[in-house]
C-alpha cells in the first residue's frame, strides 16, 4: 500500500514537473518571439528616423546654401541691386515652405512665415529696397530657418520618444490649476502644450523674438489695460519654467512658441498685474 502511494506521488510529481517545464518553455518561447518583434520594430523605427534625419539635414543644407549667396551679396554689396535680391529672397521663402511641411502643419510657424512673406512683398511692391531693409529680412529668415530645422529634427525624434511634463496655470485670484504628467511629442513647444491643456487666444507680435506668439487669454481670463492721466495699469499672462538646480521659477526669456519642452520639465502661466509708473 505504501509502495503504491509512493509510486502515485512520484507519478504526480513527474506530471506536475512536466507541466511546469512545458509551461516555462512555452513562456520563454513566447517571450523570445515578442522580444524579436520588438527589436525588429525598434530597428525599423531607428532606420526610419535616420532616413528622416538625413532628409531634414539635406533640406537645411540646401536652403542654407541659398541663404549664404544672399548673405554674401549683402556683406559685399559691390553695386548690388537689393530690390532684385529681395526677389531672390522671396524664392528662398517659397522654398522653405515647399521643403518644410511644418510651416503648414504648425500654426505659429505658419504665421511667422506669412508675416515674413508679407513684409517681403510689401518691400517689393514699394521698390528701391535698401541694404538695411534687406539685412533685416536676412536676419529674420535665418532665425526662422534655424527654428524650422530644430522643430523638424525634434519631430523626427518624437516618432520614437515622447515627453512627460507638468504645467501650472495661476489665475492670480487664488485659483491654481495643475496638469501633471502631460504627455507631449518630443517636438513640442510651450505654446503647443498650453493649447493642449487650455482654451487660449493669442496674437502675433512681430516685434517680439525669438518667438512671436503672445498669449492674451487662458480659459476666458483675458489680459487688459486701463489708461489714466499719466498712469496705466493692467494684467497680462507671463510664463515661467522651473529651474531644478536653483529650485526656483525663472521668467520665460523668449516667446512661448520658441521654447522647446524637455522631458520632466515644469512650466507655469501666471496672470500678473502691473502698473506704470
Amino acid at each position: 500500500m505504501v509502495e503504491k502511494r509512493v509510486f502515485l506521488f512520484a507519478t504526480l510529481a513527474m506530471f506536475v514537473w512536466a507541466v511546469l517545464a512545458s509551461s516555462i518553455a512555452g513562456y520563454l518561447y513566447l517571450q523570445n518571439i515578442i522580444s524579436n518583434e520588438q527589436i525588429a520594430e525598434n530597428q525599423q523605427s531607428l532606420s526610419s528616423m535616420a532616413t528622416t534625419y538625413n532628409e531634414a539635414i539635406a533640406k537645411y543644407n540646401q536652403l542654407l546654401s541659398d541663404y549664404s549667396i544672399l548673405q554674401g551679396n549683402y556683406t559685399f554689396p559691390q553695386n548690388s541691386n537689393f530690390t532684385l535680391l529681395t526677389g531672390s529672397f522671396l524664392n528662398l521663402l517659397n522654398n522653405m515652405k515647399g521643403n518644410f511641411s511644418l510651416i503648414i502643419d504648425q500654426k505659429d510657424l505658419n504665421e511667422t512665415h506669412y508675416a515674413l512673406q508679407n513684409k517681403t512683398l510689401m518691400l517689393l511692391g514699394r521698390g528701391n529696397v535698401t541694404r538695411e531693409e534687406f539685412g533685416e529680412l536676412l536676419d529674420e529668415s535665418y532665425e526662422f530657418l534655424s527654428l524650422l530645422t530644430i522643430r523638424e529634427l525634434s519631430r523626427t525624434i518624437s516618432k520614437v520618444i515622447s515627453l512627460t511634463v507638468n504645467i501650472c496655470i495661476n489665475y492670480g485670484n487664488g485659483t491654481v490649476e495643475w496638469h501633471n504628467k502631460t504627455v507631449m511629442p518630443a517636438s513640442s513647444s510651450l505654446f503647443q502644450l498650453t493649447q493642449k491643456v487650455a482654451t487660449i487666444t493669442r496674437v502675433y507680435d512681430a516685434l517680439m523674438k525669438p518667438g512671436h506668439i503672445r498669449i492674451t487669454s487662458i480659459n476666458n481670463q483675458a489680459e487688459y489695460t486701463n489708461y489714466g492721466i499719466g498712469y496705466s495699469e493692467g494684467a497680462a499672462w507671463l510664463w515661467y519654467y522651473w529651474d531644478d538646480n536653483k529650485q526656483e521659477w525663472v521668467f520665460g526669456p523668449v516667446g512661448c512658441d520658441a521654447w522647446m519642452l524637455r522631458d520632466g520639465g515644469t512650466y507655469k502661466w501666471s496672470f500678473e498685474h502691473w502698473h506704470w509708473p
Side-chain angles (χ1 to χ4, degrees):
M1 188 69 175
V2 174
E3 291 179 354
K4 288 184 178 180
R5 289 180 181 176
V6 171
F7 177 76
L8 180 61
F9 283 129
T11 303
L12 182 60
M14 291 179 64
F15 175 75
V16 171
W17 179 86
V19 171
L20 287 174
S22 299
S23 299
I24 292 172
Y27 173 78
L28 292 175
Y29 176 74
L30 181 60
Q31 288 297 106
N32 184 58
I33 292 176
I34 294 173
S35 177
N36 288 336
E37 289 177 350
Q38 289 176 338
I39 290 173
E41 288 176 1
N42 290 338
Q43 287 177 337
Q44 185 176 3
S45 296
L46 290 173
S47 177
S48 175
M49 186 170 68
T51 300
T52 306
Y53 172 85
N54 289 336
E55 291 174 352
I57 291 300
K59 294 175 187 177
Y60 174 77
N61 287 338
Q62 181 58 55
L63 290 170
L64 194 63
S65 297
D66 295 340
Y67 171 88
S68 179
I69 295 172
L70 296 175
Q71 180 67 40
N73 282 286
Y74 168 76
T75 306
F76 306 102
Q78 296 181 352
N79 300 320
S80 295
N81 185 322
F82 289 105
T83 301
L84 290 177
L85 288 175
T86 302
S88 299
F89 176 80
L90 183 61
N91 292 333
L92 175 64
L93 283 182
N94 292 333
N95 287 337
M96 283 186 188
K97 191 168 186 177
N99 281 283
F100 288 96
S101 60
L102 282 173
I103 295 178
I104 300 173
D105 298 339
Q106 298 187 10
K107 290 183 178 179
D108 56 326
L109 295 178
N110 188 286
E111 290 176 353
T112 300
H113 182 271
Y114 181 77
L116 190 54
Q117 188 178 50
N118 273 0
K119 183 176 181 179
T120 305
L121 290 171
M122 182 191 69
L123 290 174
L124 284 173
R126 190 203 65 195
N128 297 320
V129 179
T130 67
R131 183 172 183 269
E132 290 71 23
E133 290 170 333
F134 185 69
E136 289 180 5
L137 292 178
L138 288 178
D139 289 343
E140 292 179 27
S141 67
Y142 183 76
E143 292 176 2
F144 184 56
L145 178 58
S146 298
L147 180 59
L148 269 177
T149 306
I150 291 173
R151 291 276 186 93
E152 182 80 10
L153 295 178
S154 297
R155 186 169 70 167
T156 299
I157 296 172
S158 71
K159 294 177 181 178
V160 293
I161 298 175
S162 60
L163 308 176
T164 301
V165 298
N166 310 304
I167 184 169
C168 166
I169 303 175
N170 186 339
Y171 293 90
N173 56 6
T175 301
V176 178
E177 181 180 298
W178 279 93
H179 298 269
N180 293 323
K181 297 183 178 179
T182 302
V183 178
M184 296 292 294
S187 59
S188 301
S189 65
L190 177 59
F191 170 64
Q192 292 167 314
L193 171 61
T194 309
Q195 278 187 311
K196 180 173 182 176
V197 302
T199 301
I200 66 171
T201 57
R202 69 192 193 281
V203 295
Y204 180 88
D205 190 340
L207 299 178
M208 184 175 68
K209 62 180 183 179
H212 295 286
I213 298 297
R214 182 165 60 84
I215 302 296
T216 58
S217 172
I218 297 180
N219 293 332
N220 297 319
Q221 182 148 317
E223 66 176 16
Y224 65 87
T225 302
N226 295 321
Y227 297 99
I229 299 176
Y231 178 83
S232 60
E233 60 89 22
W237 284 103
L238 305 176
W239 75 268
Y240 300 80
Y241 69 90
W242 180 255
D243 189 311
D244 291 329
N245 294 324
K246 297 180 180 179
Q247 290 292 293
E248 63 182 26
W249 290 107
V250 178
F251 178 72
V254 299
C256 63
D257 54 317
W259 192 262
M260 307 299 287
L261 303 179
R262 69 172 183 84
D263 189 38
T266 300
Y267 309 91
K268 177 175 72 172
W269 281 102
S270 180
F271 193 67
E272 300 184 7
H273 292 80
W274 58 268
H275 62 83
W276 185 89

